[in-house]
Amino acid sequence: MISTKKRDLKVEIMRIIAQYTVIASHIKGSVILANGELSSKVVMVESFCSICVLTFFVLSGFFMYNKEGDLLKLWKNAIVNFFKTIGVPFILAALFCIVFEDFLDTKASFLDCIRHMDFIHVLKTFFTGIVNLNVNSWPFSCAHLWFIFEYFFIVLVFPITYLILKKLDRKIVYAIVGLCAILLLANDYLMYSGNDILETTLFHYLRKPIFYSMLGSVLYNDFLIKRCKGPAGAIVNKKIFVASLGLYLVSVFTIFFVQRSYYINKSMYPYFASYESGLALISTISFICIIYNIRFTSILSIRKQKWAYYLASKMFGVYMIHFIFVHKLTTLGLQPILISKLTNPLYFILYYLLYGLAIMALSLLIIRAFDLIVGKGTKS
């Protein structure tokens, strides 16, 4: 097991649940059925999974800006830590997907990919994505790696965000966060109306994840720590818990109806169920408040808590490789075959639960094997 010092069990459980919803969002299948009809069941899955990536962006702000010291040194440490803990796995995952593109996209074998590997093509493809700071030039199996580029922007502007949060009056910080939230919701309305002017101007250049990270810092330090207190019991603050649960359900079902209508009348882009949506941000904040108000230390044994810490420590690795498995199984035709046979809603839900758990378990097995190979299997 790993060390549990200076780790918040509630935050770790958020990471586990968020990663599971990431997997579920990737295995959801097409919203359009074979007969051309829109699948409301898939749209509902999208709506419940709207918290997936947003949770990670918001959680990034929980502790990132709490350190004290020389600003340039803090920035340097953040950049070094990014490349050591995120950059190396990111490079390995990207190169794997590029080298073995034919294996992942077709039925070509590993050996075929190695025999016909064009080293110059691999490097050119890789550095094209790095220079452009996006995954558009990479194989589809790299699609999930867009998150790393967005997280890099958070680290890149760390000094500016840090100064805003630390030096400005809290009322000004609240005003900035509130204004951005209002603009996000306004953008939802404009997108639904067919006018994405805010999307193509303001947020396209300012990068939404930077705002999400700043919001996470305010949410954690100014609300969760101060307000989520209460007597002993499974629920910390029942009023906040109930209000958050209600808001979460309302936001999820709002996303469902709005996204379903958007599919029918406007576009096949799942905007309202994605990290770009203000509605998705509401569901994410509600989800975080729900989990933070559950006292897991009173309902989980010490052994189960240690397992939760361990699993949470592996969630980044799961994120990096899970989509490779999802993509390959889809290429083989397994996922479309399964989805096409699931007309019963109960079986449909069971499929997502079991398939998602299988992908997560498979990813964890690969990570565990890698840890053993490099000698990390016995560290605590």
Side-chain angles (χ1 to χ4, degrees):
M1 292 296 177
I2 63 168
S3 172
T4 61
K5 294 180 180 179
K6 297 182 180 180
R7 303 188 70 175
D8 190 328
L9 181 60
K10 298 171 185 177
V11 175
E12 303 306 288
I13 289 177
M14 289 178 205
R15 288 195 176 103
I16 296 172
I17 297 173
Q19 179 53 48
Y20 184 83
T21 59
V22 168
I23 295 174
S25 70
H26 287 153
I27 65 175
K28 65 181 175 56
S30 174
V31 293
I32 302 299
L33 301 174
N35 60 7
E37 295 181 357
L38 182 71
S39 173
S40 294
K41 295 194 294 293
V42 173
V43 180
M44 181 56 73
V45 170
E46 285 184 338
S47 303
F48 275 100
C49 291
S50 60
I51 67 168
C52 58
V53 176
L54 259 170
T55 299
F56 290 113
F57 283 135
V58 175
L59 291 183
S60 72
F62 271 30
F63 311 109
M64 180 180 287
Y65 309 104
N66 287 351
K67 298 177 181 178
E68 300 291 341
D70 180 70
L71 180 56
L72 290 179
K73 188 175 181 180
L74 291 174
W75 188 26
K76 176 185 175 182
N77 291 339
I79 293 174
V80 170
N81 186 59
F82 172 85
F83 283 107
K84 284 175 61 178
T85 61
I86 298 177
V88 173
F90 165 72
I91 292 171
L92 293 176
L95 289 175
F96 178 88
C97 293
I98 295 170
V99 171
F100 296 102
E101 177 180 5
D102 290 338
F103 167 75
L104 296 172
D105 290 348
T106 66
K107 295 183 179 181
S109 67
F110 261 81
L111 289 177
D112 288 337
C113 294
I114 294 174
R115 290 194 197 101
H116 300 101
M117 183 178 65
D118 184 341
F119 190 69
I120 301 300
H121 169 73
V122 170
L123 290 179
K124 182 179 179 181
T125 302
F126 174 76
F127 283 108
T128 299
I130 295 297
V131 171
N132 294 329
L133 294 177
N134 63 56
V135 298
N136 295 338
S137 61
W138 290 353
F140 184 71
S141 52
C142 293
H144 64 299
L145 298 180
W146 67 269
F147 173 85
I148 308 302
F149 285 116
E150 293 295 342
Y151 190 82
F152 174 70
F153 280 107
I154 294 176
V155 176
L156 194 64
V157 301
F158 171 83
I160 299 174
T161 313
Y162 184 89
L163 288 174
I164 291 174
L165 292 169
K166 291 290 186 178
K167 301 301 181 181
L168 292 183
D169 183 84
R170 297 310 285 177
K171 291 182 180 180
I172 298 177
V173 174
Y174 297 155
I176 293 173
V177 171
L179 176 62
C180 289
I182 291 171
L183 288 174
L184 266 181
L185 290 171
N187 196 62
D188 282 5
Y189 174 77
L190 292 174
M191 285 292 290
Y192 187 76
S193 303
N195 185 348
D196 61 349
I197 185 170
L198 282 178
E199 180 66 24
T200 54
T201 53
L202 179 65
F203 283 118
H204 181 73
Y205 297 104
L206 292 183
R207 321 299 300 195
K208 293 177 184 177
I210 298 171
F211 158 63
Y212 299 146
S213 178
M214 185 164 61
L215 172 63
S217 178
V218 173
L219 176 66
Y220 182 75
N221 292 294
D222 295 14
F223 180 74
L224 294 178
I225 291 179
K226 296 180 179 179
R227 300 293 183 89
C228 295
K229 298 178 180 179
I235 305 300
V236 178
N237 187 312
K238 292 183 179 179
K239 290 183 178 180
I240 295 179
F241 178 83
V242 172
S244 300
L245 180 60
L247 185 59
Y248 172 73
L249 293 174
V250 169
S251 60
V252 165
F253 282 100
T254 301
I255 291 171
F256 168 74
F257 288 112
V258 173
Q259 185 63 61
R260 189 176 183 279
S261 176
Y262 192 67
Y263 279 143
I264 294 172
N265 301 312
K266 301 288 190 313
S267 167
M268 292 311 299
Y269 178 52
Y271 173 83
F272 297 96
S274 74
Y275 84 103
E276 300 176 277
S277 163
L279 287 172
L281 182 61
I282 293 175
S283 69
T284 300
I285 293 174
S286 304
F287 159 74
I288 289 174
C289 290
I290 291 169
I291 300 301
Y292 202 83
N293 275 283
I294 300 176
R295 191 174 277 113
F296 292 99
T297 52
S298 67
I299 60 179
L300 294 179
S301 66
I302 298 298
R303 182 179 178 84
K304 289 179 180 178
Q305 290 178 40
K306 288 183 177 180
W307 271 108
Y309 283 119
Y310 173 77
L311 290 175
S313 71
K314 305 301 177 184
M315 286 303 103
F316 175 70
V318 171
Y319 181 87
M320 296 300 287
I321 65 176
H322 80 278
F323 191 69
I324 295 173
F325 295 123
V326 172
H327 181 59
K328 182 58 182 177
L329 291 173
T330 303
T331 301
L332 293 174
L334 176 61
Q335 187 180 342
I337 291 174
L338 287 173
I339 291 180
S340 65
K341 296 181 180 297
L342 298 174
T343 55
N344 187 307
L346 183 61
Y347 291 157
F348 190 81
I349 295 172
L350 189 62
Y351 156 78
Y352 274 100
L353 290 175
L354 295 180
Y355 200 172
L357 288 174
I359 294 294
M360 182 175 282
L362 186 58
S363 301
L364 286 169
L365 283 174
I366 298 298
I367 294 168
R368 179 60 176 169
F370 180 79
D371 284 347
L372 291 173
I373 291 172
V374 299
K376 295 183 178 179
T378 58
K379 291 186 178 181
S380 60

